[in-house]
Each structure stands twice: as structure tokens, then as C-alpha cells.
Amino acid sequence: DAKTTQPNSMESNEEEPVHLPCNHSTISGTDYIHWYRQLPSQGPEYVIHGLTSNVNNRMASLAIAEDRKSSTLILHRATLRDAAVYYCILRDVGRGRQLTFGSGTQLTVLP
Amino acid sequence: KAGVTQTPRYLIKTRGQQVTLSCSPISGHRSVSWYQQTPGQGLQFLFEYFSETQRNKGNFPGRFSGRQFSNSRSEMNVSTLELGDSALYLCASSPRTVLNTGELFFGEGSRLTVL
């Protein structure tokens, strides 16, 4: 499986935008980029996913580099409830539905 | 719409025993996956079921098994428990079948402690 690299931790101030980076230099053409987050004592929660074009939904935006070797999850206004571990995951459509989680980025939101 | 339901939420077993965990997917979801989460190894894929058939399997010993029923509910079983099996076991369901790009919906997990 193609690997992703994320910073171990990041901090943000409440109500400010947060940019969470992810590097995936070995991404293949059939890999979708997925982001999940895990709040304390909960299961992972889907955030967003994309293939080539930037994507927006009610939770976040996903900016994908033109060469697809990196991507950035953007939380437009961080709240205390956004404090979680954020996972960037590559998912090959041809290899079933399993997700290969890395260690993720622990986001701390400061009041 | 009810989410993914896992039971029991917490349980304690001793080495050598076996355990069965249950997962009820979101209504209409036919794919169920299981994951193990430990502090040391993080989240690891166990297996995936669709239409009562195992579709994919992760790198776990044969002590870990599962099944899916005709109503899409799934169970996983761990036999001959070891201390290292202490973990949070997460179930995820998905509505998609042919197209694999969709999101997974996770339950809150079953926390197993092996003494």
C-alpha cells in the first residue's frame, strides 16, 4: 500500500483556519485520498475524500496538489470540538474497502 | 437514522478464553469491516464482509474470525485470548458495493481487556 506522511501533532487557535498536510509521494493513479478523524473515545469519523480535484463539504475542504503527491485538509474555522487525531489515507478502489491507517496528526485547538 | 451499533461496549476476559463481539450496521448497509486499535499498532484492518462472504482479510492469526448474517449484522470471534488482544475493536459499515470510494461509518467500538 502507498504510504502517507503526516506531522505527529499540530496546534491551532479556536476560530482560526487549520491546514493539515499530508504527503503521499508514491500515490498511484487509482488511489483516492481519504481523511478521517477520531475524537477521544469514539470511532473514526469520515471527513472528506477526493481523487484529483479539490473538494468541499460541510466539514472541510481538501486541496490536492497537481501532481497528487501531497494534499491538505483545511478546517475553515477550528472549534474545540475539532480536537482529534486526523488520518490521511490512500484507498485503492481495486483493493476492497479496507483502510490502512497511519499514525495521524493530533490536532489541539486552543481556546 | 441509527448509527453503527456495537455490543458489548466493554468486556473483560482472561487469557485462554474466547470472546464474541457483535456489530449491527446502519440500515441498508451491506458491507461490514472490522478493525483493531491498540496504542502500539494503531488501527489495523481485520476483515470485511459483504453478502455473508468474507471479501478481504488483514494480517491476523486464525484465532480471529468473523461472520455476517443475512440481515448484514456481523460478529467477530477471538479464540484463545492473549494479553496482546486487549484493544478497541471497531466495526464499520458502508452502503457501497461495486464502487469502493465511499465513506465508512464506524461504531464506537468494543473495548476488550484480557487479564
Side-chain angles (χ1 to χ4, degrees):
Chain A
D1 290 334
K3 301 285 187 196
T4 62
T5 303
Q6 300 177 253
N8 289 332
S9 62
M10 290 185 64
E11 278 187 359
S12 173
N13 293 318
E14 197 176 9
E15 299 190 3
E16 290 188 355
V18 182
H19 289 65
L20 296 163
C22 181
N23 287 319
H24 28 79
S25 58
T26 60
I27 191 171
S28 73
T30 54
D31 282 330
Y32 279 73
I33 303 162
H34 286 245
W35 284 82
Y36 281 76
R37 71 180 186 181
Q38 188 171 22
L39 280 66
S41 302
Q42 293 189 26
E45 173 188 32
Y46 168 83
V47 177
I48 200 166
H49 78 278
L51 182 62
T52 56
S53 303
N54 294 344
V55 184
N56 300 294
N57 65 21
R58 63 175 180 81
M59 287 183 68
S61 295
L62 175 60
I64 301 173
E66 196 169 333
D67 63 4
R68 301 214 319 133
K69 293 184 184 300
S70 66
S71 61
T72 302
L73 178 70
I74 302 166
L75 307 179
H76 296 287
R77 289 186 65 197
T79 70
L80 297 178
R81 289 178 296 178
D82 291 323
V85 178
Y86 286 78
Y87 296 98
C88 170
I89 301 163
L90 300 183
R91 184 168 165 193
D92 186 336
V93 295
R95 295 193 61 190
R97 205 160 278 102
Q98 69 264 29
L99 300 176
T100 301
F101 287 84
S103 54
T105 297
Q106 174 68 63
L107 175 66
T108 300
V109 180
L110 304 174
Chain B
K1 197 174 186 180
V4 176
T5 303
Q6 292 189 245
T7 57
R9 290 291 314 280
Y10 302 91
L11 68 166
I12 300 173
K13 293 285 187 178
T14 57
R15 278 180 298 176
Q17 287 186 311
Q18 73 163 13
V19 66
T20 298
L21 308 176
S22 178
C23 172
S24 293
I26 292 172
S27 177
H29 289 192
R30 296 171 64 192
S31 171
V32 173
S33 305
W34 288 89
Y35 290 78
Q36 180 197 64
Q37 185 171 28
T38 61
Q41 298 297 319
L43 275 153
Q44 294 185 286
F45 171 75
L46 279 159
F47 27 65
E48 177 200 357
Y49 287 86
F50 174 71
S51 292
E52 303 177 62
T53 302
Q54 188 178 91
R55 301 292 173 156
N56 292 292
K57 189 177 190 306
N59 189 26
F60 278 82
R63 299 185 298 107
F64 291 81
S65 63
R67 59 178 175 168
Q68 186 180 34
F69 302 95
S70 58
N71 61 358
S72 295
R73 190 177 70 84
S74 177
E75 289 181 348
M76 68 162 285
N77 182 277
V78 187
S79 62
T80 319
L81 284 167
E82 302 176 359
L83 295 179
D85 297 333
S86 295
L88 180 66
Y89 290 89
L90 291 156
C91 169
S93 75
S94 173
R96 296 187 184 268
T97 55
V98 175
L99 191 61
N100 290 331
T101 62
E103 62 189 280
L104 299 186
F105 296 82
F106 284 83
E108 293 189 308
S110 293
R111 183 165 295 282
L112 170 65
T113 301
V114 181
L115 301 177

PDB file of all heavy atoms in Angstrom, chain A residues 1-5 24-28 30-31 88-102, chain B residues 35 43-45 56-59:
ATOM      1  N   ASP A   1       0.835  -1.198   0.000  1.00  0.00           N
ATOM      2  CA  ASP A   1       0.000   0.000   0.000  1.00  0.00           C
ATOM      3  C   ASP A   1       0.871   1.249   0.000  1.00  0.00           C
ATOM      4  O   ASP A   1       1.923   1.294   0.635  1.00  0.00           O
ATOM      5  CB  ASP A   1      -0.869   0.052   1.261  1.00  0.00           C
ATOM      6  CG  ASP A   1      -1.953  -1.008   1.235  1.00  0.00           C
ATOM      7  OD1 ASP A   1      -2.338  -1.413   0.144  1.00  0.00           O
ATOM      8  OD2 ASP A   1      -2.388  -1.419   2.317  1.00  0.00           O
ATOM      9  N   ALA A   2       0.437   2.263  -0.759  1.00  0.00           N
ATOM     10  CA  ALA A   2       1.144   3.533  -0.754  1.00  0.00           C
ATOM     11  C   ALA A   2       1.059   4.147   0.634  1.00  0.00           C
ATOM     12  O   ALA A   2       0.051   4.045   1.324  1.00  0.00           O
ATOM     13  CB  ALA A   2       0.528   4.465  -1.793  1.00  0.00           C
ATOM     14  N   LYS A   3       2.139   4.812   1.042  1.00  0.00           N
ATOM     15  CA  LYS A   3       2.220   5.359   2.396  1.00  0.00           C
ATOM     16  C   LYS A   3       1.889   6.838   2.403  1.00  0.00           C
ATOM     17  O   LYS A   3       2.054   7.541   1.407  1.00  0.00           O
ATOM     18  CB  LYS A   3       3.638   5.177   2.937  1.00  0.00           C
ATOM     19  CG  LYS A   3       4.114   3.752   2.986  1.00  0.00           C
ATOM     20  CD  LYS A   3       3.485   2.991   4.114  1.00  0.00           C
ATOM     21  CE  LYS A   3       4.115   1.605   4.235  1.00  0.00           C
ATOM     22  NZ  LYS A   3       3.318   0.709   5.037  1.00  0.00           N
ATOM     23  N   THR A   4       1.444   7.290   3.557  1.00  0.00           N
ATOM     24  CA  THR A   4       1.235   8.723   3.765  1.00  0.00           C
ATOM     25  C   THR A   4       2.096   9.175   4.935  1.00  0.00           C
ATOM     26  O   THR A   4       2.380   8.396   5.848  1.00  0.00           O
ATOM     27  CB  THR A   4      -0.239   9.032   4.069  1.00  0.00           C
ATOM     28  OG1 THR A   4      -0.617   8.372   5.289  1.00  0.00           O
ATOM     29  CG2 THR A   4      -1.149   8.566   2.947  1.00  0.00           C
ATOM     30  N   THR A   5       2.501  10.438   4.888  1.00  0.00           N
ATOM     31  CA  THR A   5       3.302  11.019   5.958  1.00  0.00           C
ATOM     32  C   THR A   5       2.608  12.262   6.468  1.00  0.00           C
ATOM     33  O   THR A   5       2.275  13.160   5.679  1.00  0.00           O
ATOM     34  CB  THR A   5       4.712  11.383   5.458  1.00  0.00           C
ATOM     35  OG1 THR A   5       5.335  10.219   4.915  1.00  0.00           O
ATOM     36  CG2 THR A   5       5.561  11.908   6.606  1.00  0.00           C
ATOM     37  N   HIS A  24       2.119  12.045   0.121  1.00  0.00           N
ATOM     38  CA  HIS A  24       1.904  10.681  -0.398  1.00  0.00           C
ATOM     39  C   HIS A  24       2.586  10.587  -1.748  1.00  0.00           C
ATOM     40  O   HIS A  24       1.919  10.504  -2.795  1.00  0.00           O
ATOM     41  CB  HIS A  24       0.419  10.331  -0.478  1.00  0.00           C
ATOM     42  CG  HIS A  24      -0.505  11.503  -0.670  1.00  0.00           C
ATOM     43  ND1 HIS A  24      -0.696  12.111  -1.897  1.00  0.00           N
ATOM     44  CD2 HIS A  24      -1.285  12.154   0.224  1.00  0.00           C
ATOM     45  CE1 HIS A  24      -1.566  13.093  -1.750  1.00  0.00           C
ATOM     46  NE2 HIS A  24      -1.938  13.155  -0.489  1.00  0.00           N
ATOM     47  N   SER A  25       3.899  10.580  -1.703  1.00  0.00           N
ATOM     48  CA  SER A  25       4.682  10.657  -2.942  1.00  0.00           C
ATOM     49  C   SER A  25       4.567   9.413  -3.810  1.00  0.00           C
ATOM     50  O   SER A  25       4.866   9.468  -5.008  1.00  0.00           O
ATOM     51  CB  SER A  25       6.154  10.927  -2.606  1.00  0.00           C
ATOM     52  OG  SER A  25       6.657   9.905  -1.769  1.00  0.00           O
ATOM     53  N   THR A  26       4.164   8.283  -3.230  1.00  0.00           N
ATOM     54  CA  THR A  26       4.059   7.040  -4.016  1.00  0.00           C
ATOM     55  C   THR A  26       2.625   6.727  -4.415  1.00  0.00           C
ATOM     56  O   THR A  26       2.305   5.597  -4.761  1.00  0.00           O
ATOM     57  CB  THR A  26       4.645   5.854  -3.234  1.00  0.00           C
ATOM     58  OG1 THR A  26       3.915   5.713  -2.005  1.00  0.00           O
ATOM     59  CG2 THR A  26       6.120   6.067  -2.930  1.00  0.00           C
ATOM     60  N   ILE A  27       1.779   7.715  -4.399  1.00  0.00           N
ATOM     61  CA  ILE A  27       0.367   7.519  -4.741  1.00  0.00           C
ATOM     62  C   ILE A  27       0.234   6.998  -6.173  1.00  0.00           C
ATOM     63  O   ILE A  27       0.992   7.390  -7.067  1.00  0.00           O
ATOM     64  CB  ILE A  27      -0.412   8.837  -4.556  1.00  0.00           C
ATOM     65  CG1 ILE A  27      -1.921   8.592  -4.643  1.00  0.00           C
ATOM     66  CG2 ILE A  27       0.052   9.893  -5.556  1.00  0.00           C
ATOM     67  CD1 ILE A  27      -2.749   9.812  -4.244  1.00  0.00           C
ATOM     68  N   SER A  28      -0.715   6.096  -6.366  1.00  0.00           N
ATOM     69  CA  SER A  28      -0.947   5.568  -7.710  1.00  0.00           C
ATOM     70  C   SER A  28      -2.190   6.224  -8.314  1.00  0.00           C
ATOM     71  O   SER A  28      -2.960   6.881  -7.611  1.00  0.00           O
ATOM     72  CB  SER A  28      -1.137   4.052  -7.657  1.00  0.00           C
ATOM     73  OG  SER A  28      -2.402   3.733  -7.100  1.00  0.00           O
ATOM     74  N   THR A  30      -4.962   5.063  -9.147  1.00  0.00           N
ATOM     75  CA  THR A  30      -6.255   4.571  -8.673  1.00  0.00           C
ATOM     76  C   THR A  30      -6.474   4.803  -7.185  1.00  0.00           C
ATOM     77  O   THR A  30      -7.446   4.340  -6.619  1.00  0.00           O
ATOM     78  CB  THR A  30      -6.392   3.069  -8.965  1.00  0.00           C
ATOM     79  OG1 THR A  30      -5.260   2.381  -8.404  1.00  0.00           O
ATOM     80  CG2 THR A  30      -6.477   2.800 -10.457  1.00  0.00           C
ATOM     81  N   ASP A  31      -5.557   5.515  -6.544  1.00  0.00           N
ATOM     82  CA  ASP A  31      -5.695   5.806  -5.117  1.00  0.00           C
ATOM     83  C   ASP A  31      -6.543   7.047  -4.896  1.00  0.00           C
ATOM     84  O   ASP A  31      -6.238   8.125  -5.409  1.00  0.00           O
ATOM     85  CB  ASP A  31      -4.323   6.037  -4.471  1.00  0.00           C
ATOM     86  CG  ASP A  31      -3.572   4.766  -4.202  1.00  0.00           C
ATOM     87  OD1 ASP A  31      -4.219   3.724  -3.966  1.00  0.00           O
ATOM     88  OD2 ASP A  31      -2.331   4.809  -4.209  1.00  0.00           O
ATOM     89  N   CYS A  88      -4.869  10.738   7.259  1.00  0.00           N
ATOM     90  CA  CYS A  88      -4.854  10.842   5.797  1.00  0.00           C
ATOM     91  C   CYS A  88      -4.605   9.432   5.259  1.00  0.00           C
ATOM     92  O   CYS A  88      -3.629   8.792   5.642  1.00  0.00           O
ATOM     93  CB  CYS A  88      -3.751  11.808   5.371  1.00  0.00           C
ATOM     94  SG  CYS A  88      -3.382  11.860   3.612  1.00  0.00           S
ATOM     95  N   ILE A  89      -5.474   8.946   4.407  1.00  0.00           N
ATOM     96  CA  ILE A  89      -5.423   7.541   3.991  1.00  0.00           C
ATOM     97  C   ILE A  89      -5.587   7.452   2.482  1.00  0.00           C
ATOM     98  O   ILE A  89      -6.426   8.142   1.896  1.00  0.00           O
ATOM     99  CB  ILE A  89      -6.570   6.748   4.659  1.00  0.00           C
ATOM    100  CG1 ILE A  89      -6.471   6.840   6.182  1.00  0.00           C
ATOM    101  CG2 ILE A  89      -6.575   5.298   4.208  1.00  0.00           C
ATOM    102  CD1 ILE A  89      -7.747   6.458   6.885  1.00  0.00           C
ATOM    103  N   LEU A  90      -4.773   6.608   1.865  1.00  0.00           N
ATOM    104  CA  LEU A  90      -4.933   6.329   0.440  1.00  0.00           C
ATOM    105  C   LEU A  90      -5.723   5.039   0.286  1.00  0.00           C
ATOM    106  O   LEU A  90      -5.444   4.044   0.946  1.00  0.00           O
ATOM    107  CB  LEU A  90      -3.579   6.180  -0.243  1.00  0.00           C
ATOM    108  CG  LEU A  90      -2.655   7.387  -0.166  1.00  0.00           C
ATOM    109  CD1 LEU A  90      -1.374   7.122  -0.945  1.00  0.00           C
ATOM    110  CD2 LEU A  90      -3.350   8.635  -0.689  1.00  0.00           C
ATOM    111  N   ARG A  91      -6.713   5.080  -0.564  1.00  0.00           N
ATOM    112  CA  ARG A  91      -7.572   3.916  -0.741  1.00  0.00           C
ATOM    113  C   ARG A  91      -7.662   3.552  -2.220  1.00  0.00           C
ATOM    114  O   ARG A  91      -8.152   4.314  -3.030  1.00  0.00           O
ATOM    115  CB  ARG A  91      -8.950   4.219  -0.180  1.00  0.00           C
ATOM    116  CG  ARG A  91      -9.900   3.049  -0.211  1.00  0.00           C
ATOM    117  CD  ARG A  91     -11.118   3.379   0.620  1.00  0.00           C
ATOM    118  NE  ARG A  91     -12.186   2.465   0.339  1.00  0.00           N
ATOM    119  CZ  ARG A  91     -13.445   2.648   0.721  1.00  0.00           C
ATOM    120  NH1 ARG A  91     -13.779   3.710   1.388  1.00  0.00           N
ATOM    121  NH2 ARG A  91     -14.361   1.759   0.436  1.00  0.00           N
ATOM    122  N   ASP A  92      -7.175   2.379  -2.531  1.00  0.00           N
ATOM    123  CA  ASP A  92      -7.187   1.886  -3.906  1.00  0.00           C
ATOM    124  C   ASP A  92      -8.547   1.279  -4.205  1.00  0.00           C
ATOM    125  O   ASP A  92      -8.951   0.329  -3.547  1.00  0.00           O
ATOM    126  CB  ASP A  92      -6.072   0.846  -4.077  1.00  0.00           C
ATOM    127  CG  ASP A  92      -5.909   0.392  -5.513  1.00  0.00           C
ATOM    128  OD1 ASP A  92      -6.874   0.494  -6.293  1.00  0.00           O
ATOM    129  OD2 ASP A  92      -4.813  -0.067  -5.856  1.00  0.00           O
ATOM    130  N   VAL A  93      -9.228   1.805  -5.206  1.00  0.00           N
ATOM    131  CA  VAL A  93     -10.568   1.306  -5.497  1.00  0.00           C
ATOM    132  C   VAL A  93     -10.572  -0.160  -5.875  1.00  0.00           C
ATOM    133  O   VAL A  93     -11.575  -0.847  -5.767  1.00  0.00           O
ATOM    134  CB  VAL A  93     -11.231   2.120  -6.626  1.00  0.00           C
ATOM    135  CG1 VAL A  93     -11.462   3.537  -6.182  1.00  0.00           C
ATOM    136  CG2 VAL A  93     -10.377   2.090  -7.885  1.00  0.00           C
ATOM    137  N   GLY A  94      -9.440  -0.657  -6.332  1.00  0.00           N
ATOM    138  CA  GLY A  94      -9.389  -2.042  -6.753  1.00  0.00           C
ATOM    139  C   GLY A  94      -9.067  -3.017  -5.638  1.00  0.00           C
ATOM    140  O   GLY A  94      -9.014  -4.223  -5.854  1.00  0.00           O
ATOM    141  N   ARG A  95      -8.885  -2.519  -4.429  1.00  0.00           N
ATOM    142  CA  ARG A  95      -8.435  -3.403  -3.352  1.00  0.00           C
ATOM    143  C   ARG A  95      -9.417  -3.462  -2.203  1.00  0.00           C
ATOM    144  O   ARG A  95      -9.042  -3.590  -1.061  1.00  0.00           O
ATOM    145  CB  ARG A  95      -7.066  -2.951  -2.861  1.00  0.00           C
ATOM    146  CG  ARG A  95      -5.989  -3.088  -3.910  1.00  0.00           C
ATOM    147  CD  ARG A  95      -4.634  -2.928  -3.283  1.00  0.00           C
ATOM    148  NE  ARG A  95      -4.402  -3.968  -2.281  1.00  0.00           N
ATOM    149  CZ  ARG A  95      -3.380  -3.954  -1.449  1.00  0.00           C
ATOM    150  NH1 ARG A  95      -2.505  -2.986  -1.491  1.00  0.00           N
ATOM    151  NH2 ARG A  95      -3.239  -4.914  -0.559  1.00  0.00           N
ATOM    152  N   GLY A  96     -10.691  -3.360  -2.528  1.00  0.00           N
ATOM    153  CA  GLY A  96     -11.677  -3.524  -1.473  1.00  0.00           C
ATOM    154  C   GLY A  96     -11.853  -2.275  -0.646  1.00  0.00           C
ATOM    155  O   GLY A  96     -11.413  -1.188  -1.007  1.00  0.00           O
ATOM    156  N   ARG A  97     -12.490  -2.489   0.473  1.00  0.00           N
ATOM    157  CA  ARG A  97     -12.940  -1.355   1.243  1.00  0.00           C
ATOM    158  C   ARG A  97     -12.075  -1.092   2.474  1.00  0.00           C
ATOM    159  O   ARG A  97     -12.354  -0.218   3.266  1.00  0.00           O
ATOM    160  CB  ARG A  97     -14.408  -1.581   1.648  1.00  0.00           C
ATOM    161  CG  ARG A  97     -15.202  -0.332   1.925  1.00  0.00           C
ATOM    162  CD  ARG A  97     -16.688  -0.612   1.819  1.00  0.00           C
ATOM    163  NE  ARG A  97     -17.144  -0.580   0.436  1.00  0.00           N
ATOM    164  CZ  ARG A  97     -17.396  -1.639  -0.315  1.00  0.00           C
ATOM    165  NH1 ARG A  97     -17.223  -2.843   0.145  1.00  0.00           N
ATOM    166  NH2 ARG A  97     -17.822  -1.504  -1.549  1.00  0.00           N
ATOM    167  N   GLN A  98     -10.992  -1.834   2.645  1.00  0.00           N
ATOM    168  CA  GLN A  98     -10.227  -1.647   3.863  1.00  0.00           C
ATOM    169  C   GLN A  98      -9.429  -0.354   3.801  1.00  0.00           C
ATOM    170  O   GLN A  98      -9.007   0.094   2.740  1.00  0.00           O
ATOM    171  CB  GLN A  98      -9.273  -2.827   4.108  1.00  0.00           C
ATOM    172  CG  GLN A  98      -8.118  -2.930   3.131  1.00  0.00           C
ATOM    173  CD  GLN A  98      -8.436  -3.888   2.018  1.00  0.00           C
ATOM    174  OE1 GLN A  98      -9.590  -4.066   1.640  1.00  0.00           O
ATOM    175  NE2 GLN A  98      -7.418  -4.540   1.502  1.00  0.00           N
ATOM    176  N   LEU A  99      -9.235   0.222   4.961  1.00  0.00           N
ATOM    177  CA  LEU A  99      -8.435   1.432   5.106  1.00  0.00           C
ATOM    178  C   LEU A  99      -7.150   1.082   5.826  1.00  0.00           C
ATOM    179  O   LEU A  99      -7.164   0.327   6.787  1.00  0.00           O
ATOM    180  CB  LEU A  99      -9.200   2.489   5.910  1.00  0.00           C
ATOM    181  CG  LEU A  99     -10.541   2.960   5.338  1.00  0.00           C
ATOM    182  CD1 LEU A  99     -11.212   3.920   6.299  1.00  0.00           C
ATOM    183  CD2 LEU A  99     -10.346   3.613   3.982  1.00  0.00           C
ATOM    184  N   THR A 100      -6.050   1.621   5.354  1.00  0.00           N
ATOM    185  CA  THR A 100      -4.772   1.448   6.026  1.00  0.00           C
ATOM    186  C   THR A 100      -4.450   2.748   6.746  1.00  0.00           C
ATOM    187  O   THR A 100      -4.080   3.747   6.120  1.00  0.00           O
ATOM    188  CB  THR A 100      -3.662   1.103   5.019  1.00  0.00           C
ATOM    189  OG1 THR A 100      -4.019  -0.109   4.334  1.00  0.00           O
ATOM    190  CG2 THR A 100      -2.333   0.902   5.738  1.00  0.00           C
ATOM    191  N   PHE A 101      -4.624   2.734   8.058  1.00  0.00           N
ATOM    192  CA  PHE A 101      -4.408   3.929   8.869  1.00  0.00           C
ATOM    193  C   PHE A 101      -2.930   4.079   9.213  1.00  0.00           C
ATOM    194  O   PHE A 101      -2.260   3.107   9.533  1.00  0.00           O
ATOM    195  CB  PHE A 101      -5.202   3.843  10.174  1.00  0.00           C
ATOM    196  CG  PHE A 101      -6.678   4.030  10.012  1.00  0.00           C
ATOM    197  CD1 PHE A 101      -7.495   2.966   9.654  1.00  0.00           C
ATOM    198  CD2 PHE A 101      -7.267   5.262  10.246  1.00  0.00           C
ATOM    199  CE1 PHE A 101      -8.861   3.126   9.514  1.00  0.00           C
ATOM    200  CE2 PHE A 101      -8.640   5.437  10.116  1.00  0.00           C
ATOM    201  CZ  PHE A 101      -9.437   4.370   9.744  1.00  0.00           C
ATOM    202  N   GLY A 102      -2.446   5.321   9.160  1.00  0.00           N
ATOM    203  CA  GLY A 102      -1.123   5.621   9.691  1.00  0.00           C
ATOM    204  C   GLY A 102      -1.275   6.097  11.121  1.00  0.00           C
ATOM    205  O   GLY A 102      -2.259   5.759  11.785  1.00  0.00           O
TER     206      GLY A 102
ATOM    207  N   TYR B  35     -11.933  -3.583  12.603  1.00  0.00           N
ATOM    208  CA  TYR B  35     -10.607  -3.053  12.832  1.00  0.00           C
ATOM    209  C   TYR B  35     -10.237  -3.244  14.289  1.00  0.00           C
ATOM    210  O   TYR B  35     -11.088  -3.226  15.174  1.00  0.00           O
ATOM    211  CB  TYR B  35     -10.550  -1.550  12.504  1.00  0.00           C
ATOM    212  CG  TYR B  35     -10.651  -1.234  11.034  1.00  0.00           C
ATOM    213  CD1 TYR B  35     -11.888  -1.253  10.386  1.00  0.00           C
ATOM    214  CD2 TYR B  35      -9.517  -0.943  10.286  1.00  0.00           C
ATOM    215  CE1 TYR B  35     -11.981  -0.988   9.036  1.00  0.00           C
ATOM    216  CE2 TYR B  35      -9.604  -0.669   8.932  1.00  0.00           C
ATOM    217  CZ  TYR B  35     -10.842  -0.701   8.317  1.00  0.00           C
ATOM    218  OH  TYR B  35     -10.936  -0.436   6.974  1.00  0.00           O
ATOM    219  N   LEU B  43      -4.561   1.599  14.305  1.00  0.00           N
ATOM    220  CA  LEU B  43      -5.748   0.972  13.711  1.00  0.00           C
ATOM    221  C   LEU B  43      -5.323   0.002  12.617  1.00  0.00           C
ATOM    222  O   LEU B  43      -4.663   0.384  11.665  1.00  0.00           O
ATOM    223  CB  LEU B  43      -6.646   2.044  13.096  1.00  0.00           C
ATOM    224  CG  LEU B  43      -7.616   2.730  14.035  1.00  0.00           C
ATOM    225  CD1 LEU B  43      -7.949   4.121  13.553  1.00  0.00           C
ATOM    226  CD2 LEU B  43      -8.899   1.913  14.143  1.00  0.00           C
ATOM    227  N   GLN B  44      -5.753  -1.240  12.763  1.00  0.00           N
ATOM    228  CA  GLN B  44      -5.398  -2.258  11.777  1.00  0.00           C
ATOM    229  C   GLN B  44      -6.640  -2.977  11.293  1.00  0.00           C
ATOM    230  O   GLN B  44      -7.501  -3.364  12.096  1.00  0.00           O
ATOM    231  CB  GLN B  44      -4.420  -3.265  12.385  1.00  0.00           C
ATOM    232  CG  GLN B  44      -3.051  -2.677  12.724  1.00  0.00           C
ATOM    233  CD  GLN B  44      -2.100  -3.757  13.198  1.00  0.00           C
ATOM    234  OE1 GLN B  44      -2.209  -4.244  14.306  1.00  0.00           O
ATOM    235  NE2 GLN B  44      -1.173  -4.126  12.334  1.00  0.00           N
ATOM    236  N   PHE B  45      -6.678  -3.207  10.001  1.00  0.00           N
ATOM    237  CA  PHE B  45      -7.805  -3.874   9.368  1.00  0.00           C
ATOM    238  C   PHE B  45      -7.795  -5.365   9.678  1.00  0.00           C
ATOM    239  O   PHE B  45      -6.757  -6.030   9.551  1.00  0.00           O
ATOM    240  CB  PHE B  45      -7.714  -3.648   7.858  1.00  0.00           C
ATOM    241  CG  PHE B  45      -8.674  -4.453   7.038  1.00  0.00           C
ATOM    242  CD1 PHE B  45     -10.013  -4.119   6.978  1.00  0.00           C
ATOM    243  CD2 PHE B  45      -8.229  -5.542   6.299  1.00  0.00           C
ATOM    244  CE1 PHE B  45     -10.898  -4.851   6.208  1.00  0.00           C
ATOM    245  CE2 PHE B  45      -9.110  -6.284   5.525  1.00  0.00           C
ATOM    246  CZ  PHE B  45     -10.449  -5.938   5.478  1.00  0.00           C
ATOM    247  N   ASN B  56     -12.254  -9.496   2.186  1.00  0.00           N
ATOM    248  CA  ASN B  56     -10.853  -9.163   2.402  1.00  0.00           C
ATOM    249  C   ASN B  56     -10.466  -9.545   3.813  1.00  0.00           C
ATOM    250  O   ASN B  56     -11.308  -9.566   4.715  1.00  0.00           O
ATOM    251  CB  ASN B  56     -10.612  -7.654   2.208  1.00  0.00           C
ATOM    252  CG  ASN B  56     -10.778  -7.227   0.777  1.00  0.00           C
ATOM    253  OD1 ASN B  56      -9.986  -7.585  -0.091  1.00  0.00           O
ATOM    254  ND2 ASN B  56     -11.828  -6.470   0.504  1.00  0.00           N
ATOM    255  N   LYS B  57      -9.185  -9.815   3.992  1.00  0.00           N
ATOM    256  CA  LYS B  57      -8.711 -10.206   5.311  1.00  0.00           C
ATOM    257  C   LYS B  57      -7.372  -9.535   5.560  1.00  0.00           C
ATOM    258  O   LYS B  57      -6.508  -9.497   4.683  1.00  0.00           O
ATOM    259  CB  LYS B  57      -8.567 -11.723   5.403  1.00  0.00           C
ATOM    260  CG  LYS B  57      -8.293 -12.244   6.798  1.00  0.00           C
ATOM    261  CD  LYS B  57      -8.235 -13.761   6.794  1.00  0.00           C
ATOM    262  CE  LYS B  57      -8.214 -14.327   8.207  1.00  0.00           C
ATOM    263  NZ  LYS B  57      -7.157 -13.803   9.066  1.00  0.00           N
ATOM    264  N   GLY B  58      -7.202  -9.028   6.759  1.00  0.00           N
ATOM    265  CA  GLY B  58      -5.939  -8.433   7.149  1.00  0.00           C
ATOM    266  C   GLY B  58      -4.976  -9.484   7.650  1.00  0.00           C
ATOM    267  O   GLY B  58      -5.235 -10.686   7.596  1.00  0.00           O
ATOM    268  N   ASN B  59      -3.859  -9.025   8.162  1.00  0.00           N
ATOM    269  CA  ASN B  59      -2.783  -9.912   8.573  1.00  0.00           C
ATOM    270  C   ASN B  59      -2.906 -10.274  10.052  1.00  0.00           C
ATOM    271  O   ASN B  59      -2.114  -9.818  10.882  1.00  0.00           O
ATOM    272  CB  ASN B  59      -1.442  -9.250   8.291  1.00  0.00           C
ATOM    273  CG  ASN B  59      -0.290 -10.209   8.501  1.00  0.00           C
ATOM    274  OD1 ASN B  59      -0.462 -11.413   8.388  1.00  0.00           O
ATOM    275  ND2 ASN B  59       0.877  -9.677   8.809  1.00  0.00           N
TER     276      ASN B  59
END
